[in-house]
Amino acid sequence: MQKKLTSNQDLHKSDKSHYLQTFRRYPLTLDYGKGARVWDIDGKEYIDLLAGIAVNNVGHAHPKVVQAIKDQAEKLLHISNFYLSRPQAELSQKLIEISGLDRVFITNSGAESVEGAIKVARKYGFKNGKGGTVISMENCFHGRTLATISAGKETMQTGFGPMPGGFVKVPFNNFQAIETAIKEAGENQVSAIILELIQGEGGINVADESYVKKVRQLCDEQNIVLIFDEIQSGIGRTGKWFAKDHYGVQPDIMTLAKGLGGGVPIGAILSNQKVSDTMDYGDHGTTFGGNPLVCATSMAVLSVIEDEHLLDAAREKGEWIRQRLEQIAHPGMKQIKGKGLMIGVEFDFETKPLVALLLDHGVLANATAGNILRLVPPLTITHEELEIAMQALEKALANMEATNA
């Protein structure tokens, strides 16, 4: 009989014995959550400023989302995509409505969405006499499959070669570098350019508006597919449905995941009619993607964002955090980056020790790109919870100063 694991120590021991060790886990086991708070199995409470890395946009255990899961689970969990379900049809229609794009393909994850987007872009290029080269940005992150790490950081490629070909990286926010890469690739060789309007894992780096508009114009002139990866920045995170809405620029393809399901595994590829028309029956598929359960859940998430005016809340709370961080005025704080509730605080020191101290003070956060503190809380977080978290940050910074004195 399998031993029942009851203590945090037992659970972590079991994890280290059985789970593939690809995560450097913190020494706690989370048990349940409500709103922007979670509790570990020992009963300690935490303010969640990570939200599953920008996933739990409407918080933990939102009653409308929980009810949608219960209701759909009692009706239909899964069917083949040979058949249609009402939740999938409704979600597709809703995503078209809020995005302004024309077609949807529902996936299971962000990396899968990017893989599919690359396929669509390359098929469009093939039908228009172009090669399959895809230009991506330095410090980007599009997933951990072979194609997505080929588009991403070289440090993630070590030991997994040979890498799939056809990917070229250029500096972010550097339009001239894109022009040069297109010329060096050769005439009609570039099929797509993929970029995050706000680089998440790369350090909450925000694309310049003039840069984005120039890239859009270049893609129009040279018939190159423009892909926006909005996996982390989408679904209200920045104070608009999508980060693209801050720029007034429409991509040919957009990828989604994370906040789209509020915690259930779902992603999406959205595309305009021009590129969608190149895809034929059987060109792409999925077993689990778009099943009734995740689609019904996603519809509930989108409904909560609308009903509770969370786009406005993300903008307002994001500005509040910026002002509060400026009040802290720590000498090691270099700049505050991002939009809405996708915030990166750049320090002049590595932020992993700071994240560990925040954990001790009852706050979940994240370090990325070495010296960036990433804050991506639920859009439903209250001002009281934000103030508790900011006070914890002040204490953690003071602890670091005392340790380094």
Side-chain angles (χ1 to χ4, degrees):
M1 182 180 293
Q2 183 172 332
K3 178 186 175 183
K4 187 174 182 180
L5 304 173
T6 57
S7 71
N8 182 60
Q9 184 178 1
D10 286 345
L11 286 159
H12 275 267
K13 183 178 179 181
S14 176
D15 175 72
K16 289 178 180 177
S17 297
H18 302 114
Y19 201 88
L20 189 64
Q21 294 297 289
T22 58
F23 302 111
R24 294 186 185 275
R25 300 192 197 270
Y26 289 98
L28 74 158
T29 305
L30 297 179
D31 190 31
Y32 65 97
K34 188 69 175 175
R37 302 182 189 229
V38 292
W39 287 261
D40 65 22
I41 64 167
D42 296 320
K44 183 177 178 179
E45 179 182 316
Y46 303 84
I47 302 293
D48 188 359
L49 298 187
L50 185 57
I53 312 182
V55 169
N56 304 109
N57 284 12
V58 299
H60 299 277
H62 192 289
K64 290 185 179 179
V65 176
V66 171
Q67 191 61 51
I69 292 171
K70 287 180 178 179
D71 290 346
Q72 188 59 48
E74 291 178 347
K75 294 171 65 177
L76 197 62
L77 284 174
H78 174 79
I79 56 173
S80 166
N81 276 303
F82 285 132
Y83 316 104
L84 181 64
S85 72
R86 180 185 296 274
Q88 186 183 106
E90 291 176 342
L91 178 59
S92 298
Q93 180 176 319
K94 185 64 178 178
L95 289 174
I96 294 306
E97 174 192 318
I98 63 176
S99 71
L101 291 164
D102 300 308
R103 296 284 175 176
V104 177
F105 186 93
I106 301 174
T107 71
N108 302 285
S109 69
E112 187 185 332
S113 296
V114 174
E115 289 264 0
I118 292 169
K119 282 183 67 176
V120 175
R122 282 181 166 170
K123 184 69 182 292
Y124 177 83
F126 172 78
K127 286 199 169 182
N128 285 273
K130 302 176 78 67
T133 299
V134 176
I135 296 176
S136 60
M137 306 300 135
E138 292 178 3
N139 296 316
C140 71
F141 181 81
H142 300 294
R144 293 182 184 271
T145 60
L146 283 174
T148 54
I149 63 173
S150 294
K153 299 176 184 177
E154 291 183 5
T155 54
M156 293 185 176
Q157 300 173 11
T158 304
F160 301 111
M163 288 290 106
F167 295 94
V168 174
K169 284 186 289 296
V170 299
F172 184 62
N173 264 336
N174 187 327
F175 179 71
Q176 186 176 359
I178 293 177
E179 290 184 307
T180 300
I182 292 172
K183 290 178 183 177
E184 290 179 348
E187 186 176 359
N188 290 324
Q189 288 305 303
V190 174
S191 60
I193 297 171
I194 182 169
L195 62 91
E196 303 156 274
L197 294 169
I198 304 176
Q199 291 186 324
E201 296 295 320
I204 316 297
N205 305 312
V206 181
D208 297 333
E209 183 174 342
S210 61
Y211 164 78
V212 174
K213 289 182 175 179
K214 285 180 181 178
V215 174
R216 174 69 274 179
Q217 183 178 352
L218 177 66
C219 288
D220 288 339
E221 292 171 350
Q222 301 205 23
N223 200 22
I224 293 170
V225 175
L226 179 58
I227 305 169
F228 286 167
D229 180 338
E230 293 245 23
I231 289 162
Q232 191 166 149
S233 60
I235 315 300
R237 171 60 49 190
T238 66
K240 292 184 180 291
W241 276 118
F242 310 102
K244 71 179 181 65
D245 300 331
H246 292 279
Y247 296 84
V249 174
Q250 200 65 320
D252 298 300
I253 303 175
M254 179 169 67
T255 59
L256 302 175
K258 288 191 179 287
L260 181 59
V264 300
I266 183 173
I269 308 162
L270 281 70
S271 52
N272 62 24
Q273 198 62 47
K274 180 182 76 172
V275 300
S276 302
D277 283 342
T278 65
M279 296 296 283
D280 299 317
Y281 292 113
D283 273 353
H284 201 52
T286 174
T287 297
F288 294 107
N291 70 64
L293 181 69
V294 297
C295 289
T297 307
S298 182
M299 280 297 292
V301 168
L302 299 179
S303 176
V304 169
I305 291 173
E306 287 187 326
D307 293 346
E308 299 186 11
H309 308 290
L310 295 183
L311 301 183
D312 293 337
R315 291 194 296 271
E316 187 272 323
K317 292 169 187 174
E319 183 57 32
W320 185 94
I321 292 173
R322 283 176 174 272
Q323 293 176 6
R324 187 66 175 82
L325 288 167
E326 289 169 358
Q327 289 175 10
I328 292 174
H330 187 273
M333 192 184 298
K334 296 175 68 177
Q335 63 173 320
I336 304 164
K337 304 186 288 182
K339 291 182 182 293
L341 284 175
M342 186 173 180
I343 296 172
V345 188
E346 183 179 354
F347 289 92
D348 62 6
F349 53 81
E350 291 281 319
T351 50
K352 282 186 179 179
L354 177 59
V355 169
L357 285 168
L358 281 169
L359 194 66
D360 292 340
H361 289 288
V363 173
L364 305 185
N366 173 247
T368 190
N371 65 334
I372 306 295
L373 177 68
R374 175 165 48 177
L375 307 176
V376 284
L379 311 186
T380 55
I381 193 168
T382 67
H383 283 91
E384 178 189 3
E385 289 164 336
L386 286 172
E387 178 57 30
I388 293 170
M390 290 300 105
Q391 290 179 19
L393 176 58
E394 289 178 305
K395 292 174 184 176
L397 288 168
N399 291 155
M400 288 192 70
E401 288 178 0
T403 302
N404 296 329

